[in-house]
Amino acid sequence: MNVVHKHLFATITNCMKRYDSNLNKKNRNLVDTRLENLHVRAEYEENLLGSRKELSKLNDFSTPLERLQCLRHVVTLRTRPVEAAKSDDSKRDGGYLLDLVEYRL
């Protein structure tokens, strides 16, 4: 299985090189995206540090279940309520959630 995986993975990598380079170009262009560009309130920025640290551990896991649990934890960290939002009297809508999860994920 290891030999098959080695040759198969090399072939797939070779076929996908062009798409990979396009994705890298898009990522470099989007590096300066800020929360305000995505219309996400600034108080959620304090959640980003912990979620980025957790996301950096993703490649440490080998099974799909472990990786899914890691991503679940990242989303939980990123979307947890912050003090400014708790004290806000206005009703929160869920419109910011997707933008907050996507931001530098």
Side-chain angles (χ1 to χ4, degrees):
M1 289 301 288
N2 288 335
V3 173
V4 171
H5 178 268
K6 180 180 176 183
H7 293 293
L8 184 62
F9 192 73
T11 304
I12 291 172
T13 302
N14 193 25
C15 291
M16 302 302 286
K17 271 194 267 190
R18 180 177 45 139
Y19 300 112
D20 190 38
S21 67
N22 289 338
L23 180 63
N24 288 336
K25 287 177 189 174
K26 288 180 183 179
N27 282 342
R28 281 193 303 271
N29 291 336
L30 294 173
V31 77
D32 292 327
T33 304
R34 302 283 176 241
L35 283 176
E36 55 270 4
N37 300 121
L38 299 173
H39 307 292
V40 175
R41 294 188 307 230
E43 62 260 16
Y44 287 98
E45 193 164 3
E46 65 188 58
N47 291 346
L48 294 177
L49 183 61
S51 62
R52 283 181 185 162
K53 188 180 291 187
E54 185 67 26
L55 187 61
S56 69
K57 298 177 187 176
L58 184 65
N59 289 329
D60 295 343
F61 301 110
S62 57
T63 67
L65 180 60
E66 289 173 331
R67 288 179 178 227
L68 185 61
Q69 288 173 339
C70 179
L71 288 174
R72 181 176 165 225
H73 195 235
V74 167
V75 170
T76 302
L77 287 172
R78 198 157 278 201
T79 58
R80 71 177 177 228
V82 292
E83 290 301 320
K86 288 180 190 174
S87 63
D88 190 10
D89 292 332
S90 64
K91 188 175 181 179
R92 288 192 326 173
D93 62 345
Y96 70 94
L97 180 62
L98 184 59
D99 292 332
L100 185 63
V101 170
E102 283 181 344
Y103 180 71
R104 295 210 180 152
L105 188 63

